Amino acid sequence: MRRMLFKSLVHGPLTEAAPKADDAALAELAAQVDRTARLRLGRTLSIREVDAGSCNGCELEIHALNNIVYDLERFGLRFVASPRHADVLLVTGPVTTNMREALERTYQATPAPKWVVAVGDCARDGGIFAGSYACVGGVSAVLPVDLHIRGCPPSPITLLQGLLALLETVERSVK
Amino acid sequence: MTETTPAAIKLRDVIRAGRQVENHSPWARAVINHEDWRQAAASLSDGQWTLLGLWAERDQVHMAIIDGGDLGLLSLPCEDKRFPSVGQLHPPAMRLERAIRDLWGLEPEGLADTRPWLDHGKWPPATFNDVAHEAPPLAARDYAFLTAEGESLHQIPVGPVHAGIIEPGHFRFTANGEAVVRLEVRLGYVHKGIERLMQGASIERAAMLAGRVSGDSTLAYALAFAHAIEAAHRIDVPPRAVWLRALMSELERLANHFGDIGAVCNDAAFAMMHAQCGHLREQVLRVADRCFGHRLMMDRVVPGGVERDLQRDSEQEVHSLLVQIRKRFPELVELYDNTASLQDRTVGTGIVSSALARQYGCGGYVGRASGRAFDARRTPGYPPYDRLQFEVPVREDGDVDARLWIRIHEVEQSVALIDQIIRQLPRGSIRDPAQTVRTSQAHEGVALVEGFRGDVLVWVRIGADGNIERCHLRDPSWFQWPLLEAAIEGNIVADFPLCNKSFNCSYSGHDL
């Protein structure tokens, strides 16, 4: 183990440089910034992920954000265990009717100010599952959504671009 | 149980005695009578046969069975919307029958557990296959969890929303201090109605749905669905496509096993393995992306072949990946093997007995860690694995450690397989030009494919119009979730995440 630790000291980190924030996401957010709210947050955002019926593909890529290549925490973005600690709800899936109540209660448990980011094509409008008796069809049918990140599933880079856009919007509003 | 052991009944004899369904392949499907259905349930209960799946449609139930090396399907018409419960004799069928009642309104007669399973009382009435949900069975909070009696017991409800980035499900622990007395899992939260969406869908759309049953196994599902369609329509797949499919399958297995090995160690607070394995997983996904244009390889396997060929120079990419894994992975294995504090958590934790693994026909690393040496790449087997050299690792210990070691050995096997595949990859076309076979009859196909988690079963009936009439997809998790409840018994609550991660069952694949 010592040998491996030493090696990683010598070789430097495997973490890669950050991508630019996504322009489309910046545009979507620009209209929804609440200056006083952002003031309180500084430049960190705590994220609570909620799977509302995803196939688990989005979860795999969201997980990847935490790996050493993308290292999400260096941007002040981190995943937290409880909605009580969260500023952002990251919601995946077409919102199944069986998860609707749990999603609503998670939202209610999140203190304001809060933002909802819908991740994946099925979180946008139900995607391929639209029209099912068991799906509400998109996060915005249940909660106010501030940002959509497209993809099936979106790659970690796409996710990062979207989240950085959220963060930049927060910072810009503070200045 | 009778005193005398009944003479073993052969599945093939039962099928021969029944009415064989035409245009069903590659295994036979026979319509049988009530008496034979009950006898089949007894043969499953005796352990002579293993249940591969149990599902329904409007007026009949089907079960897929494996008897030694023979596979086959038995069907029972349900007059009066009833059928004799298999679960009353053979517990692995219980949740499948509860799901059948929720989705099709067919009553499994004699089933002891009458609680709904996938239906949480929230679906709009009369939407699924015209089954009327006149009165929603139960509100979510009224679901009666199984009880445990004794002094100083307390319950811990967990979920459906969990602390980590994982899928939703509810765990109800009954504990005595730290020790778990009983765990009951409640699922169905991510039921999307996929099988209903498939009915009437074109084969192309259905293939995309199949690839989204469980995202981590998208390739295994796409492959099983394609195999079933190709069996039904007797489509020959070009050799190059067959080998590319195997390449993708092994890449999917590698990525998931790396993720799991790291995640299990992380749940024992050993973050370094998590970091290293997470990096290896990322490398696999990037190679998949460069080779096939999608990190998870979604929609790349299609009925008739594969959607796209290897991108130029990507054989070299695959080769470099293998070099990297062969260099780095042994160090990590050594690290796991030599870290006593880590082994202290994994060895002897969450034991699944080999008897339970056998009874439940439990596949994948959970089954193989408990002595069940089943691998769909061998039985029934499918090309090109008949021309590849690989071993199916098996252990008897059945604990978290054994499930981790099975994954370690499977990583080694997958690396060796990819090496062979890249060397032997034939040239030629990658897809049979779309053959929409239009006949006046329905055609049925069935397939069993080994995903990283275990065997995925897909059964399909294609209607005379060329669209899907009925499709059933059975995740390996159906036969693994119940064993998680057995594995945790007597362990401490704090070891549950470790046990759960070592199973890594699919919620979405189970809930459909």
Side-chain angles (χ1 to χ4, degrees):
Chain A
M1 180 162 31
R2 256 175 294 172
R3 190 159 43 99
M4 287 175 74
L5 288 171
F6 180 71
K7 242 197 274 176
S8 51
L9 278 177
V10 175
H11 283 289
L14 295 161
T15 309
E16 296 177 345
K20 279 210 182 102
D22 183 31
D23 289 339
L26 278 173
E28 185 179 355
L29 285 162
Q32 307 181 34
V33 181
D34 172 33
R35 190 170 186 279
T36 48
R38 311 298 152 104
L39 272 171
R40 282 188 240 160
L41 294 165
R43 62 154 293 147
T44 73
L45 286 177
S46 296
I47 304 169
R48 175 66 263 232
E49 200 267 350
V50 183
D51 175 340
S54 135
C55 72
N56 80 30
C58 287
E59 277 62 37
L60 295 175
E61 296 297 54
I62 292 169
H63 251 300
L65 290 176
N66 275 332
N67 74 25
I68 54 178
V69 179
Y70 301 106
D71 188 18
L72 189 69
E73 290 212 16
R74 69 186 145 144
F75 306 112
L77 298 162
R78 63 193 186 103
F79 288 100
V80 292
S82 165
R84 304 263 187 225
H85 307 154
D87 310 307
V88 176
L89 289 186
L90 199 63
V91 187
T92 63
V95 187
T96 56
T97 39
N98 287 352
M99 264 308 283
R100 181 184 188 141
E101 186 189 343
L103 177 62
E104 286 169 341
R105 286 169 67 174
T106 305
Y107 182 76
Q108 285 155 15
T110 309
K114 55 192 166 187
W115 293 270
V116 176
V117 178
V119 171
D121 287 346
C122 58
R124 189 178 179 89
D125 54 9
I128 195 166
F129 307 114
S132 168
Y133 65 95
C135 296
V136 180
V139 180
S140 54
V142 181
L143 301 178
V145 175
D146 298 280
L147 170 64
H148 290 95
I149 300 178
R150 299 294 302 265
C152 188
S155 69
I157 292 288
T158 311
L159 287 166
L160 212 44
Q161 286 171 331
L163 292 173
L164 287 179
L166 186 71
L167 201 59
E168 272 189 26
T169 316
V170 170
E171 281 180 25
R172 207 175 300 156
S173 67
V174 171
K175 278 173 196 157
Chain B
M1 201 68 44
T2 50
E3 311 84 58
T4 53
T5 319
I9 294 168
K10 288 273 163 226
L11 176 63
R12 67 174 76 143
D13 294 334
V14 177
I15 286 175
R16 210 170 289 145
R19 180 173 62 77
Q20 282 213 35
V21 176
E22 284 177 32
N23 299 323
H24 186 282
S25 62
W27 325 318
R29 174 164 88 85
V31 178
I32 59 173
N33 60 30
H34 275 69
E35 187 47 43
D36 285 346
W37 182 268
R38 285 200 185 86
Q39 187 55 56
S43 293
L44 288 167
S45 163
D46 291 346
Q48 292 163 20
W49 299 353
T50 303
L51 186 66
L52 283 180
L54 177 61
W55 67 99
E57 49 190 318
R58 190 177 300 274
D59 50 9
Q60 53 181 330
V61 282
H62 309 287
M63 64 179 152
I65 286 163
I66 180 162
D67 172 19
D70 282 344
L71 295 99
L73 280 77
L74 302 177
S75 304
L76 179 74
C78 302
E79 300 94 10
D80 313 329
K81 301 255 165 207
R82 299 175 163 274
F83 64 98
S85 163
V86 177
Q88 63 182 330
L89 291 173
H90 189 54
M94 288 174 70
R95 286 178 178 171
L96 290 159
E97 290 184 339
R98 289 166 67 188
I100 286 174
R101 200 186 38 212
D102 289 353
L103 299 178
W104 295 95
L106 302 178
E107 188 61 35
E109 279 183 307
L111 181 65
D113 193 340
T114 56
R115 295 172 298 168
W117 181 237
L118 298 178
D119 187 352
H120 291 197
K122 309 218 179 224
W123 299 335
T127 39
F128 193 91
N129 301 308
D130 310 322
V131 172
H133 288 283
E134 284 147 12
L138 278 173
R141 58 183 65 84
D142 296 335
Y143 188 80
F145 284 93
L146 300 174
T147 55
E149 285 176 17
E151 270 182 58
S152 313
L153 295 183
H154 63 284
Q155 284 200 348
I156 311 171
V158 181
V161 178
H162 296 280
I165 304 169
I166 62 168
E167 298 181 75
H170 184 94
F171 300 107
R172 183 64 60 98
F173 297 92
T174 305
N176 183 334
E178 282 271 44
V180 178
V181 175
R182 166 167 245 165
L183 162 67
E184 191 182 0
V185 181
R186 185 174 187 215
L187 299 171
Y189 290 94
V190 287
H191 175 77
K192 293 180 269 295
I194 290 176
E195 293 191 353
R196 177 70 188 84
L197 287 170
M198 279 199 168
Q199 285 174 233
S202 67
I203 289 177
E204 290 72 27
R205 175 171 152 77
M208 291 183 72
L209 281 164
R212 283 157 183 80
V213 169
S214 183
D216 51 17
S217 304
T218 177
L219 207 102
Y221 271 95
L223 186 58
F225 180 79
H227 278 182
I229 295 286
E230 287 151 10
H233 275 169
R234 299 179 199 280
I235 296 171
D236 283 327
V237 180
R240 184 171 175 83
V242 169
W243 286 75
L244 286 176
R245 287 172 168 189
L247 172 59
M248 292 189 223
S249 301
E250 298 310 318
L251 285 174
E252 181 175 88
R253 200 178 322 276
L254 272 184
N256 281 302
H257 281 352
F258 282 138
D260 281 359
I261 293 168
V264 169
C265 294
N266 196 45
D267 276 352
F270 197 70
M272 187 171 163
M273 278 291 273
H274 186 50
Q276 295 287 337
C277 288
H279 188 249
L280 282 175
R281 174 182 161 85
E282 179 68 21
Q283 301 313 306
V284 177
L285 297 185
R286 288 180 172 200
V287 167
D289 191 24
R290 286 195 289 265
C291 286
F292 300 106
H294 193 284
R295 285 162 57 91
L296 305 180
M297 298 171 287
M298 255 176 193
D299 306 324
R300 293 311 183 250
V301 169
V302 290
V306 294
E307 189 264 342
R308 69 175 68 184
D309 208 335
L310 270 177
Q311 303 297 297
R312 218 184 326 161
D313 299 332
S314 49
E315 279 175 47
Q316 188 52 45
E317 298 257 6
V318 177
H319 185 71
S320 314
L321 174 71
L322 297 185
V323 170
Q324 195 188 151
I325 294 172
R326 282 181 168 142
K327 183 160 169 273
R328 291 176 56 195
F329 191 58
E331 282 184 335
L332 297 174
V333 176
E334 196 188 323
L335 181 61
Y336 174 73
D337 206 13
N338 291 333
T339 306
S341 62
L342 186 52
Q343 303 244 323
D344 181 48
R345 296 290 305 280
T346 58
V347 176
T349 306
I351 295 174
V352 174
S353 72
S354 58
L356 268 182
R358 217 175 27 249
Q359 183 189 11
Y360 275 75
C362 179
Y365 39 75
V366 180
R368 290 194 277 274
S370 295
R372 183 169 183 264
F374 184 82
D375 189 318
R377 292 173 296 178
R378 282 269 161 79
T379 313
Y382 46 93
Y385 290 100
D386 48 346
R387 292 174 57 192
L388 293 167
Q389 309 247 318
F390 68 105
E391 282 164 28
V392 178
V394 183
R395 285 177 73 113
E396 303 290 336
D397 353 17
D399 54 1
V400 172
D401 179 60
R403 290 188 282 278
L404 205 80
W405 275 109
I406 295 287
R407 286 177 172 97
I408 289 171
H409 294 315
E410 289 185 7
V411 163
E412 294 161 357
Q413 293 300 316
S414 287
V415 167
L417 279 167
I418 291 173
D419 202 1
Q420 295 172 55
I421 292 166
I422 286 292
R423 283 170 206 277
Q424 300 179 51
L425 199 58
R427 295 184 179 281
S429 72
I430 55 157
R431 191 171 181 181
D432 218 23
Q435 309 176 5
T436 314
V437 184
R438 282 177 185 275
T439 57
S440 55
Q441 281 173 309
H443 286 74
E444 299 174 353
V446 59
L448 196 68
V449 158
E450 189 71 22
F452 88 96
R453 183 180 279 122
D455 47 296
V456 172
L457 178 83
V458 171
W459 177 84
V460 66
R461 179 189 296 125
I462 308 164
D465 60 355
N467 289 332
I468 304 295
E469 207 170 285
R470 173 84 175 100
C471 180
H472 175 66
L473 312 109
R474 194 270 300 141
D475 196 85
S477 304
W478 277 99
F479 302 123
Q480 294 169 340
W481 276 118
L483 300 194
L484 177 61
E485 297 177 2
I488 189 65
E489 202 183 311
N491 285 252
I492 59 173
V493 176
D495 274 345
F496 176 70
L498 202 54
C499 291
N500 192 23
K501 197 65 77 182
S502 77
F503 272 66
N504 190 18
C505 297
S506 175
Y507 300 67
S508 183
H510 170 283
D511 292 353
L512 274 171

